[in-house]
Amino acid sequence: MADDTRFEPLVSQLAERLLAAQARLATAESCTGGWIAKVLTDMPGSSAWFDRGFVTYSNQAKQEMLGVTAGTLQQHGAVSRETVLEMARGALASSPADFSVAVSGIAGPGGGTPDKPVGTVWLAWGTPASVEAHCEYFAGDRAQIRVRTVERALRGLLERL
């Protein structure tokens, strides 16, 4: 079992900022399988600022739950800027949240290609007014890539709050 206490300082800061803004958060996760939502809800009282999490591991789930279009997935793939932007927008559209974070990546050990090697992760952060995406390339094994994705997602939220 992973030691999720490493995320407590980030989650605490995030909670303070969301509470101060009277804002709520939604997550849209693929490669992290709900881990972001898990570390957020590890904090007592998180129901005051965390609204919901979408775990959309399959392309079908991304389409059905978040409104990612089949065309986006066919043209760009699940691990792409376009897909995470649609995931972040979809999390906002399917919830009363004020902020969203979305992640989709290749955690390995297989699944990588020359264009999208293992460790490629796209992240997006959104508000109803704007959504932005960023690509990271994380080294390490599956667990390390996923931990780094959770941390980057949380830090990205803090940077934007």
Side-chain angles (χ1 to χ4, degrees):
M1 188 76 186
D3 175 21
D4 289 340
T5 58
R6 75 183 103 204
F7 300 116
E8 287 177 3
L10 293 172
V11 174
S12 179
Q13 291 175 57
L14 187 58
E16 287 176 19
R17 292 182 192 181
L18 286 164
L19 285 169
Q22 296 183 324
R24 296 182 63 76
L25 173 65
T27 61
E29 302 180 64
S30 187
C31 63
T32 50
W35 199 349
I36 299 167
K38 187 251 188 240
V39 302
L40 295 172
T41 59
D42 281 346
M43 173 174 276
S46 57
S47 60
W49 48 268
F50 180 71
D51 183 69
R52 67 188 72 185
F54 299 90
V55 178
T56 55
Y57 210 69
S58 71
N59 285 352
Q60 182 176 350
K62 288 174 181 65
Q63 292 174 70
E64 292 174 0
M65 296 173 71
L66 298 172
V68 175
T69 67
T72 295
L73 292 165
Q74 289 167 358
Q75 186 173 358
H76 303 285
V79 180
S80 67
R81 175 183 187 276
E82 293 79 8
T83 294
V84 294
L85 288 171
E86 288 186 26
M87 289 172 68
R89 287 185 191 108
L92 291 169
S94 298
S95 75
D98 306 288
F99 294 92
S100 68
V101 60
V103 299
S104 188
I106 304 165
T113 66
D115 289 343
K116 295 179 185 177
V118 170
T120 303
V121 178
W122 276 96
L123 303 99
W125 300 272
T127 68
S130 72
V131 181
E132 61 181 290
H134 179 75
C135 186
E136 294 280 354
Y137 298 95
F138 297 122
D141 63 19
R142 183 176 182 81
Q144 291 167 324
I145 290 166
R146 294 176 76 213
V147 164
R148 289 179 177 127
T149 301
V150 172
E151 181 178 3
R152 182 65 184 103
L154 297 174
R155 288 190 186 285
L157 284 165
L158 285 171
E159 291 165 7
R160 288 156 180 84
L161 278 169

